[in-house]
Amino acid sequence: MIDIANAFILLSNFVLIPAVTYGAQLALGALGITLIYAILRFANFAHGDTMAFGTMVAIFLTWGMQALGWSLGGLPVALLSLPFAILATVALVIGTDKLVYKYFREKRVDPVIFVMASVGVMFMMNGLVRIFIGTGDINFADGSRFLIRAREFRDMTGLDEGLALRTAQVITIVVAVAVMAGLFWFLQKTRTGKSMRAFSDNEDLALLSGIKPERVVMVTWIIAGALATIAGVLYGLDKGFRPFTYFQLLLPMFAAAILGGIGQPIGAVVGGFVIAFSEVGLTYAYRRVLDYLGPEAWEPDGLYQLLETEYKFAVSFLLLVIVLLVRPTGIFRGRIV
Amino acid sequence: MSAPTSTHAHAPAAWQNPWLLFGIMAALLLLTGFGQSWILALTILQLCMISAIMTLGVNVQWGYAGLFNAGTMGFVALGGMAAVLAAYPPVPEAWSAGGTGIALSALVIVGIVAGVVIARRQLTGLARLLATLAVLVLGYVLFGQVFGPATDAIEAVNPAQTGFLGGAGVRILLGWALGGVLAAGAAWIIGKIAIGLRSDYLAIATLGIAEIILAVIKNEDWLTRGVKNVTGLPRPVPYEVDLQTDPGFIDLAASWGVEPNFLASVTVKLAFIGLFAIVLVTLVYLAEKALHSPWGRMMRAIRDRPDAAAAMGKDVKRRHLQAFIIGSAICGIAGAMLVTVDGQFTPGSYQPLRFTFLVLVMVVVGGSGNNFGSVLGGFLIWFVWVQSETLGFAIADLASTVLAEESALRAHLNEAAVHLRPVLMGLILVLALRFAPRGLIPER
């Protein structure tokens, strides 16, 4: 019995909690991608670097606030800078829309030209972020690092395994749940949200019923910019900020959006968690779990790791491929143009 | 490529004369030679030619067929690996330590594939699913039993020097061909899955395959030595050191009144340039032949009016797959050439911005669908890429004249100058898409 409890704590510590956290971050990113896809109808390659930009602004503001001696007690100051970072990012994405995408929208060019343009935007954002903040690792989480420490947990429960719960993980989950609830309420209940869904389902019909396309597009960018910043800051608080990792998040985020059904917000959320659980679950070495669960005399040799951590991108990719082969519309029947 | 943007009605403007544009490009390189240094100009020219070959490959995909490949980096890296596998001398100790294990592992993989295929052909329903899963699980366990020890044994053989199987020890020029073959094989697999779906999905799938190829190259040390890099690859041209110590060569340099070191460096670079020119000219010739053949017209018809082409009985998916494989093979060849000129294989140097998206900028700026345009784009954008760093440093210098000598901001500016490149490239891409979507030398 104790062994089972120990194994469960071990799994929670290294698989369950990290995967839920990572899944929430991916889901927020994938939501932005899927909304842009639903309304503007292209795969936005600049989304990862938009996240990096938003996080960068939040980091600068955090540093400023820290210099002023501000603090939020146990919580990171980054939470305070987040709203301002969102404003800056929204301004940036609306600016790029006005300067870049609007022209192509009016010309009604093929979606793949939009993708190309987003590659150009990605280049620029990428360069700007590196110019301003450099390429190194930045840890900007302050406040208390842990809510529950492994040792405290062991002392408390008397188990061999400790459960560590980091502040960033709890913040991620709380913020993500709040943001998703807010977003779904907005999409389902408000007039603007409904007009967005109508526009996504049938553009011509939406135009016919008096929905202003430019307004819908603008709201979409505002939401996508906000989601990107939140996802980026949460990821950065959890794992540290490095511009290149944000570019690399593109693949799991796209995979999440497509897996769930591209253009479907609920799909992006489910997809994010599926990708995160598969990635963490397949790259975790189960040796010590088996130690607890296996028969008394059995000493497992080897790590019992299904996939080396370096290959975690292969997980997103494989899931993506399986979905494309088996059910190209994704779990929630997204659109295929 | 959308139909409305690729109307063929516009006559090219006067400045769009290819001779004029290539003349300007040559002048830029000459200016670099006179203004900065000839070694730099020749180094840029070498890389311009390799870039132009990559651009030709991407042009077959994007220009001919309208396929957006966001994984060029992966195919270029595979080409680089091929150069190592062909040219590096074999490591007999490593082969005797783990060769059998690797061969067994390969057998297991063949067995798994065969088992899955048989299961899927012969069985139906639940039995099929269970049999497939059983083969996979059993195969995975068996593979782990033979593969792990084999790679450990190989990587333990003289890890500081080799620690991998080495290559075949044949001429590195054969590696160029092997690069094309490996890249084509990878493209066939990924194309089978992703082609036929909408364009963005191909882009995302290729983005993924590139990351995976790179992850394999970086982590399978027994095969590629991973991030420990492979250096000292044999060259198809003489070494500078040999020339510098050759009495005949020294005499020649003296009779021309130049430094032997300088002459040796120039000779080696020119030899590479000669080799690259052969490949480039051959590929341009073949690409032009293909473009102006019935095949090329069919590809363009499929790109511009896929439904009409399908109605005429053209197999759109199959043709797209063909273009994707050919384009990737060309990128693989370029990758092998790049490793050859560097003399080393450094997996850490493959960056998507540099090897995927930059090549895309080259094609779009040069002229999608036009081979000469692509070559020009490869030359021009590579030149701008290299020289923008010079420009970045100049700007940083200018900005820091007002700053104190050792201010933190000044150091930061110098560091940031490098990152001006992506900003510039993004700007060029967006401006090109908007104001010259058909490129410098448009498709005819």
Side-chain angles (χ1 to χ4, degrees):
Chain A
M1 195 57 219
I2 288 291
D3 277 349
I4 295 176
N6 272 323
F8 177 73
I9 295 300
L10 193 65
L11 272 184
S12 308
N13 207 5
F14 291 103
V15 178
L16 215 56
I17 296 172
V20 170
T21 318
Y22 180 44
Q25 291 151 359
L26 279 186
L28 288 174
L31 270 173
I33 284 179
T34 227
L35 281 177
I36 291 176
Y37 198 94
I39 304 294
L40 291 115
R41 296 179 160 73
F42 73 94
N44 182 15
F45 269 62
H47 203 73
D49 284 290
T50 310
M51 282 166 61
F53 179 87
T55 315
M56 176 192 77
V57 176
I59 292 175
F60 279 133
L61 292 173
T62 304
W63 284 345
M65 290 172 179
Q66 284 168 344
L68 291 173
W70 295 12
S71 99
L72 278 181
L75 297 174
V77 179
L79 285 183
L80 211 57
S81 65
L82 184 59
F84 302 100
I86 289 176
L87 285 181
T89 314
V90 167
L92 178 83
V93 292
I94 288 182
T96 47
D97 183 73
K98 292 267 185 255
L99 289 173
V100 181
Y101 302 119
K102 191 166 189 272
Y103 170 83
F104 297 113
R105 203 157 52 237
E106 281 164 1
K107 280 266 179 177
R108 292 190 156 269
V109 300
D110 204 70
V112 76
I113 301 289
F114 275 97
V115 180
M116 288 281 235
S118 80
V119 167
V121 172
M122 173 190 82
F123 257 116
M124 287 192 271
M125 286 185 179
N126 188 289
L128 286 178
V129 168
R130 284 160 196 232
I131 286 175
F132 286 129
I133 207 163
T135 52
D137 267 310
I138 294 168
N139 186 356
F140 60 102
D142 49 9
S144 58
R145 204 167 130 64
F146 288 99
L147 270 187
I148 305 174
R149 279 168 203 283
R151 202 154 57 83
E152 290 166 7
F153 184 86
R154 274 199 297 267
D155 294 346
M156 215 156 60
T157 56
L159 290 172
D160 289 340
E161 290 299 328
L163 183 78
L165 198 57
R166 286 186 291 119
T167 319
Q169 293 172 325
V170 179
I171 290 176
T172 296
I173 294 162
V174 171
V175 171
V177 168
V179 168
M180 285 174 203
L183 181 67
F184 284 107
W185 172 81
F186 172 82
L187 288 175
Q188 296 297 328
K189 301 291 178 195
T190 64
R191 208 180 148 70
T192 319
K194 282 178 189 162
S195 65
M196 278 175 69
R197 286 193 293 134
F199 190 86
S200 161
D201 281 344
N202 189 330
E203 193 177 338
D204 294 331
L205 208 56
L207 293 179
L208 206 61
S209 45
I211 291 172
K212 291 195 184 64
E214 282 307 299
R215 199 179 116 84
V216 169
V217 166
M218 206 52 47
V219 174
T220 308
W221 279 118
I222 292 174
I223 298 174
L227 286 171
T229 315
I230 297 170
V233 169
L234 292 177
Y235 186 86
L237 280 176
D238 187 22
K239 301 190 174 71
F241 173 81
R242 205 170 149 245
F244 189 62
T245 46
Y246 281 72
F247 169 82
Q248 288 186 316
L249 280 178
L250 263 187
L251 180 65
M253 289 192 304
F254 272 130
I258 293 173
L259 186 80
I262 194 138
Q264 298 280 15
I266 185 75
V269 175
V270 173
F273 284 106
V274 172
I275 297 281
F277 270 91
S278 320
E279 207 173 273
V280 179
L282 288 177
T283 52
Y284 177 65
Y286 288 93
R287 183 206 172 111
R288 283 175 56 215
V289 177
L290 292 176
D291 260 348
Y292 284 117
L293 295 183
E296 202 64 33
W298 186 53
E299 278 285 305
D301 52 342
L303 288 168
Y304 285 85
Q305 184 181 21
L306 289 165
L307 199 70
E308 282 172 55
T309 324
E310 287 81 11
Y311 291 127
K312 62 178 186 199
F313 291 109
V315 178
S316 320
F317 181 78
L318 282 180
L319 285 173
L320 180 68
V321 165
I322 291 171
V323 168
L324 291 183
L325 287 176
V326 179
R327 193 181 163 105
T329 49
I331 300 172
F332 288 93
R333 292 244 171 258
R335 60 167 63 244
I336 286 227
V337 183
Chain B
M1 183 66 79
S2 70
T5 53
S6 61
T7 43
H8 300 265
H10 300 288
W15 60 267
Q16 282 172 324
N17 181 340
W19 292 106
L20 177 69
L21 291 168
F22 275 104
I24 293 176
M25 190 61 237
L28 283 173
L29 285 169
L30 288 175
L31 265 177
T32 308
F34 283 113
Q36 291 170 283
S37 93
W38 287 103
I39 302 289
L40 177 67
L42 289 177
T43 311
I44 294 179
L45 180 58
Q46 285 179 334
L47 266 294
C48 278
M49 295 173 96
I50 294 179
S51 301
I53 291 171
M54 286 182 202
T55 321
L56 279 175
V58 174
N59 186 41
V60 172
Q61 297 170 340
W62 168 249
Y64 291 14
L67 299 170
F68 183 0
N69 176 4
T72 312
M73 172 188 76
F75 300 104
V76 171
L78 266 185
M81 186 183 88
V84 174
L85 293 186
Y88 202 86
V91 183
E93 300 85 5
W95 274 103
S96 55
T100 346
I102 294 292
L104 276 176
S105 313
L107 266 180
V108 172
I109 289 183
V110 172
I112 295 174
V113 172
V116 168
V117 168
I118 290 170
R120 299 200 72 82
R121 289 237 174 103
Q122 303 291 326
L123 301 167
T124 50
L126 190 63
R128 183 164 86 164
L129 186 69
L130 288 177
T132 312
L133 280 178
V135 171
L136 285 177
V137 170
L138 207 71
Y140 178 84
V141 172
L142 203 62
F143 182 77
Q145 294 296 320
V146 287
F147 186 68
T151 55
D152 287 346
I154 292 169
E155 284 163 24
V157 176
N158 194 4
Q161 299 294 322
T162 57
F164 76 130
L165 284 177
V170 295
R171 290 184 168 274
I172 199 160
L173 292 183
L174 286 173
W176 298 7
L178 183 65
V181 173
L182 278 188
W188 180 75
I189 295 173
I190 186 67
K192 272 283 183 197
I193 298 165
I195 279 178
L197 297 163
R198 55 162 297 165
S199 49
D200 322 27
Y201 283 17
L202 178 68
I204 294 161
T206 44
L207 185 78
I209 197 75
E211 289 292 343
I212 292 171
I213 289 175
L214 207 64
V216 170
I217 288 177
K218 278 182 178 169
N219 295 302
E220 296 305 318
D221 286 17
W222 60 275
L223 182 67
T224 61
R225 224 169 165 252
V227 287
K228 289 185 288 182
N229 302 338
V230 179
T231 50
L233 286 172
R235 270 185 183 180
V237 299
Y239 286 87
E240 284 93 342
V241 198
D242 296 338
L243 289 178
Q244 283 159 17
T245 50
D246 182 70
F249 190 81
I250 294 171
D251 288 346
L252 187 73
S255 69
W256 288 357
V258 289
E259 281 279 305
N261 288 3
F262 175 77
L263 189 63
S265 185
V266 168
T267 313
V268 170
K269 287 195 192 309
L270 284 177
F272 267 124
I273 287 168
L275 278 175
F276 293 168
I278 294 170
V279 178
L280 182 60
V281 169
T282 313
L283 285 175
V284 169
Y285 174 77
L286 291 175
E288 277 293 290
K289 267 287 198 204
L291 187 61
H292 297 296
S293 68
W295 183 83
R297 282 190 289 277
M298 173 184 66
M299 293 307 293
R300 292 199 283 177
I302 289 176
R303 178 196 68 196
D304 291 340
R305 298 275 185 274
D307 296 335
M312 299 291 291
K314 304 298 176 201
D315 189 343
V316 175
K317 201 175 161 181
R318 195 179 146 84
R319 295 302 154 190
H320 275 172
L321 182 63
Q322 216 172 30
F324 186 66
I325 293 175
I326 295 172
S328 301
I330 297 176
C331 290
I333 296 173
M337 292 165 66
L338 185 69
V339 165
T340 308
V341 73
D342 286 344
Q344 57 179 353
F345 181 57
T346 48
S349 66
Y350 292 97
Q351 303 274 336
L353 278 189
R354 158 76 180 83
F355 285 101
T356 296
F357 297 113
L358 188 67
V359 184
L360 209 62
V361 177
M362 291 169 177
V363 176
V364 171
V365 169
S368 324
N370 187 316
N371 291 312
F372 295 104
S374 301
V375 170
L376 178 73
F379 272 68
L380 185 65
I381 294 297
W382 180 257
F383 182 83
V384 174
W385 176 261
V386 173
Q387 295 290 23
S388 66
E389 199 179 74
T390 323
L391 185 74
F393 282 127
I395 293 174
D397 261 1
L398 199 70
S400 56
T401 43
V402 289
L403 297 169
E405 188 69 38
E406 59 279 330
S407 86
L409 190 59
R410 182 167 182 165
H412 181 80
L413 274 176
N414 261 315
E415 200 184 312
V418 191
H419 305 304
L420 206 63
R421 278 173 165 178
V423 180
L424 190 65
M425 289 302 142
L427 198 63
I428 291 175
L429 178 60
V430 168
L431 289 177
L433 283 173
R434 174 152 184 179
F435 295 107
R438 304 181 64 226
L440 289 174
I441 309 179
E443 182 180 323
R444 273 166 300 163

